[in-house]
Every structure is written in C-alpha cells, then in structure tokens.
C-alpha cells in the first residue's frame, strides 16, 4: 500500500505518462504503470512533475524591507549597501523573522523548497544570524534553508568580521561566504579568498562567495577562488556567485579563466533579475547586460545555477520569489533560446541548484525524497514560457500547497497551446 500515486506524469527529462509512487516520504517507484492503490492518488496526466525549485542565492535577512529607511533611487549596488547599513542598527530579531517567514510561505507556494540565504555577519549583535537560525528550524518541515556567513562590509575591511564569522559558525551557520571585490584593494580581496577558503578546508565546510559583482573587467577574484579550490582540495564544495565582471572581460582572458574554473570544479551562480538591474548603471550607450557568461560557462561543463538574490529590499524593488521568473530572465538576457539551452535554464533553478547546495536525495527517481512540484504545463519549455500555476507542491510525500486547475486552450494548426489560466466567460 503506497501513500501517494501520481498518475500520468511528464518528467523534465522527456519521459511522459509515467506513474510516481510514494511511501514513507520517499519515491518508491517511477514506472510506466503502477498497479495497486494508494491512500491518495493525483491525476496529473500530461502535467510536468519536477523536483522542487532551488533558490541558490538569496538574502533573507533583508527581504521585504523595501523602503526602509528609503528607496534606492540610483538603483546601484553601492546605494543598496549604504541603505542596508543605515537599516542594520534598527533591526530586531522579531522583525527579521516576520519578514523571512512570509518569504518562506511565498517560496513554498511557488514550489521552491530549498533556499541558500546569505546572512550579514557585520552586525556585531548577529541578530540576523539568530533570527534565521530560528526560522531554519521552524520551517524545516517544509523547506530546506542553508545559511551562508556573509561579511557584507568585507572580511578584512570590517574589523570584527573574523571574530563574527567564528561566532556565526559556532551558532550553526552552514557555509562560509565572502565579498572580495568589496575589500579595499585587489590584494586584500585575494587575501580574503585565501583565508576564508582555508577556514572552510579546516572545518570541512562549503564556500559561497559574492565574487566580482562589478562592471570592472579587472575584478578577477574568481581566478583566486578557483586556484584556492584546487590548492585546498575543495572541488565540488565551492561556489562563485554573481561573477558579473565576466561580462566586461576580454575574450582572451576568459578563454583562460573558464577552463580554470572547470578544472577546479567551481559552481557558478548567476542572479539574472538583480544582475541585469544593478549592473551597467555607469554606462550610457551601448549598455552592458550585466549577467555573467552563462552560455559559455554551461558549454564548458561548469555547473551553473540561478538565484533570485533579492525580493523587495534595498537592492531590488520587485519580485514574488518565483524561480521560473528568474529562469525566464536568464534565458532572455543570456540569449539561451536553443531547445537544449532553454531546458538548461530550467535545470538552473532545479537540478543544478541541488548540486551547488550539495542536497541529498533530490530528484525524481526511486529512493529520492518525495519532494515534487506539479506544474500546469506539459514540459520545461512551456513552464518557462507560461510561469504556470503550481497545481500541487509535495514535501516528503505530503501535499503542502495546491492550486485549482483552470485552463484555457487555443488550437494553432495541429498544436493545442495553453494560453491562460483564468476562466473565460
């Protein structure tokens, strides 16, 4: 007797009309037809059933703080950092938890069940660390929350960062972060990368650094990060996030850099919504796109994931924490319009994110956690086009969110296309 059977699912890898059986919170079978019954059956015929969305880069301590103390009128990264610095003295654990909890509810409704959130450790009170550790525990039945100790004001630039990092790790923060391009000099940036990676190697932790979030083609800290990854044997445990300076680098240097990254096994995380918004602010015309070289990184075999980064905070005034919106923006900005490329954009908010976060039991195969999202779309490309309703969100075999199925179809030639999810009278 199974707990749950999903009948007639389409899978992201192209399999169609398969049944998925769930028992004890795990996927017990993925077969053309499962005989027998279950405590609950879902008819998902012709619908895409995917593992949950992954947000590989987010800032939950600042989310939903838009307008406090005021709006970012210049739209720049640096004004956002300034505004966050002004808000930090007024933070409370209760306020951070309230905003983070609301964001988690938004994420769950959209089928995002794992988030890696950077948390600022340059507030000596570590209020955000304490608040998000409590939220991590509170939301654990529904969502996996990884926390990165992030020295927003610079690991070497801010005098208490090193001590605060030790305190945050002792409290239970998962990952070591950094921001080398915000250090005072290039040499300090490289030194911060080396020191932080050495701490990670000593402690057996993962690393995720804001790296080269700049329009400056000479910001090349990803080179240092890849070299330290190799030197310290951290392959598979290190992520370089943003990497926006790569959009301004000359092709010759990039032709050396990308193979170095691939050899080191560094994960790359782009944040399309925020990168295209914050970068290129000093340009007149032509304006640079801002996002890193996603197409080239993917072609080199580097694991590329996407993050939402911000929702309604000092850096970004919009957002609903829909990872399909993130993937859609990445597709457009990166001109990833080939069929295989579009599917890779879907992977950038699902399987690739799971690799970057080193999640265990992720996927739609026997033995994986029964964490699934049923979308009102037939395949990943249609999901990217429509950003459709999440009909069911399933966590460990239990339905934790659902949306009524209402659709409108239009016939074009021999194709029947879903065009709208509102009932038309």
């Amino acid at each position: 007797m199974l707990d749950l059977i999903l009948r007639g699912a389409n899978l992201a890898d192209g399999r169609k009309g398969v049944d998925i059986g769930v028992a004890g919170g795990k996927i017990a079978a993925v077969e053309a037809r499962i005989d027998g019954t279950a405590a609950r059956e879902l008819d998902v015929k012709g619908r895409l059933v995917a593992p949950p969305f992954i947000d590989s880069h987010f800032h939950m301590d600042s989310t939903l703080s838009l307008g406090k103390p005021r709006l970012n009128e210049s739209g720049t990264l640096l004004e956002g950092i300034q505004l966050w610095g002004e808000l930090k003295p007024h933070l409370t654990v209760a306020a951070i938890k309230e905003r983070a909890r609301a964001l988690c509810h938004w994420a769950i409704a959209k089928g995002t069940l794992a988030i890696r959130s950077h948390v600022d450790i340059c507030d000596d009170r570590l209020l955000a660390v304490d608040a998000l550790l409590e939220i991590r525990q509170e939301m654990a039945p529904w969502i996996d929350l990884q926390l990165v100790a992030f020295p927003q004001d610079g690991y070497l630039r801010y005098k208490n960062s090193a001590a605060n990092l030790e305190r945050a790790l002792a409290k239970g923060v998962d990952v070591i972060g950094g921001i080398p391009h915000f250090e005072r000099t290039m040499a300090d940036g490289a030194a911060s990368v080396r020191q932080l990676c050495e701490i990670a190697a000593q402690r057996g932790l993962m690393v995720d650094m804001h790296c080269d979030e700049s329009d400056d083609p000479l910001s090349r800290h990803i080179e240092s990060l890849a070299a330290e990854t190799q030197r310290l044997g951290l392959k598979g445990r290190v992520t370089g996030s943003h990497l926006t300076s790569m959009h301004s680098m000359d092709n010759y240097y990039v032709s050396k850099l990308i193979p170095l990254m691939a050899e080191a096994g560094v994960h790359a995380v782009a944040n399309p919504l925020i990168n295209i918004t914050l970068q290129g602010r000093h340009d007149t015309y032509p304006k640079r796109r801002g996002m890193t070289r996603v197409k080239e990184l993917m072609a080199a075999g580097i694991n590329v994931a996407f993050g939402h980064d911000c929702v309604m905070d000092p850096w970004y005034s919009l957002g609903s924490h829909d990872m399909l919106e993130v993937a859609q923006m990445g597709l457009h900005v990166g001109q990833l319009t080939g069929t295989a490329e579009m599917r890779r954009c879907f992977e950038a908010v699902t399987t690739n994110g799971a690799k970057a976060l080193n999640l265990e039991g992720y996927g739609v195969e026997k033995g994986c956690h029964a964490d699934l999202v049923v979308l009102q779309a037939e395949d990943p490309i249609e999901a990217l086009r429509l950003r459709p309703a999440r009909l069911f969100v399933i966590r460990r075999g239990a339905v934790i969110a659902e949306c009524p199925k209402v659709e409108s179809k239009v016939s074009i030639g021999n194709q029947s296309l879903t065009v709208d999810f509102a009932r038309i009278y």
Side-chain angles (χ1 to χ4, degrees), residues 1-2 5 7 19-21 29 31-38 41:
M1 182 70 175
L2 295 170
I5 298 177
R7 299 284 189 188
D19 290 355
I20 303 170
E31 300 175 1
R33 173 69 184 178
I34 295 176
D35 295 324
T37 59
E41 292 195 12

Side-chain angles (χ1 to χ4, degrees), residues 52-59 112-118 144-148 175 206-210 238-242 267-272 303-310 321 323 326 345-359 362:
F53 296 111
I54 310 293
D55 185 352
S56 299
H57 186 107
F58 195 68
H59 291 265
T112 299
L113 301 187
I115 299 173
R116 175 178 280 181
S117 176
H118 298 251
D144 293 314
L145 179 59
Q146 274 188 9
L147 298 179
V148 183
V175 184
M206 293 183 287
V207 175
D208 189 337
M209 290 197 189
H210 287 59
V238 175
T239 298
S241 289
H242 290 293
H267 306 286
V269 173
N271 299 290
N303 182 55
V304 180
F306 290 160
H308 204 304
D309 198 6
C310 306
H321 209 264
M323 293 308 297
V326 174
C345 286
F346 189 84
E347 293 169 357
V349 293
T350 52
T351 54
N352 293 2
K355 292 175 185 175
L357 271 61
N358 279 318
L359 296 181
Y362 180 91

Side-chain angles (χ1 to χ4, degrees), residues 60 93-94 96-102 104 129-143 145 147:
M60 198 169 285
V93 169
I96 295 169
K97 287 177 64 177
E98 181 181 20
R99 293 187 283 102
R101 186 181 297 113
C104 286
V129 171
D130 291 335
L132 294 187
L133 284 169
E134 291 181 28
I135 288 293
R136 184 178 70 181
Q137 182 176 0
E138 176 186 326
M139 300 303 298
W142 303 280
I143 195 166
L145 179 59
L147 298 179

Side-chain angles (χ1 to χ4, degrees), residues 110-167:
K110 295 291 188 180
T112 299
L113 301 187
I115 299 173
R116 175 178 280 181
S117 176
H118 298 251
V119 53
D120 187 1
I121 61 168
C122 290
D123 176 355
D124 294 339
R125 300 169 298 169
L126 294 186
L127 294 186
V129 171
D130 291 335
L132 294 187
L133 284 169
E134 291 181 28
I135 288 293
R136 184 178 70 181
Q137 182 176 0
E138 176 186 326
M139 300 303 298
W142 303 280
I143 195 166
D144 293 314
L145 179 59
Q146 274 188 9
L147 298 179
V148 183
F150 175 51
Q152 174 74 76
D153 299 330
Y155 182 67
L156 298 179
R157 182 171 177 171
Y158 181 63
K159 63 180 181 178
N160 293 332
S161 287
N164 289 350
L165 174 65
E166 293 295 326
R167 291 167 58 206

Side-chain angles (χ1 to χ4, degrees), residues 398-409:
V399 176
I400 61 173
E402 59 183 289
C403 178
K405 179 172 67 174
V406 179
E407 65 182 339
S408 177
K409 292 274 190 178

Side-chain angles (χ1 to χ4, degrees), residues 290-368:
M291 191 174 74
T292 193
R293 301 189 185 208
V294 169
K295 187 191 291 268
E296 291 84 354
L297 291 167
M298 287 180 170
I302 293 169
N303 182 55
V304 180
F306 290 160
H308 204 304
D309 198 6
C310 306
V311 171
M312 298 180 68
D313 69 5
W315 294 274
Y316 188 61
S317 300
L318 305 173
S320 62
H321 209 264
D322 184 348
M323 293 308 297
L324 282 176
E325 181 181 7
V326 174
Q328 192 185 70
M329 178 60 78
L331 184 158
H332 283 87
V333 176
Q335 298 182 326
L336 296 159
T337 53
T339 301
E341 291 173 336
M342 288 190 283
R343 290 182 177 276
R344 289 194 193 104
C345 286
F346 189 84
E347 293 169 357
V349 293
T350 52
T351 54
N352 293 2
K355 292 175 185 175
L357 271 61
N358 279 318
L359 296 181
E360 296 181 356
Y362 180 91
V364 188
E365 299 293 345
K366 183 177 179 180
C368 292

Side-chain angles (χ1 to χ4, degrees), residues 14-64:
R15 285 177 285 174
K16 294 186 176 182
V18 302
D19 290 355
I20 303 170
V22 173
K26 300 273 190 179
I27 296 176
V30 181
E31 300 175 1
R33 173 69 184 178
I34 295 176
D35 295 324
T37 59
R40 183 176 184 184
E41 292 195 12
L42 299 177
D43 179 6
V44 298
K45 184 177 180 181
R47 299 296 172 223
L48 175 62
V49 178
F53 296 111
I54 310 293
D55 185 352
S56 299
H57 186 107
F58 195 68
H59 291 265
M60 198 169 285
D61 49 359
S62 62
T63 195
L64 304 183

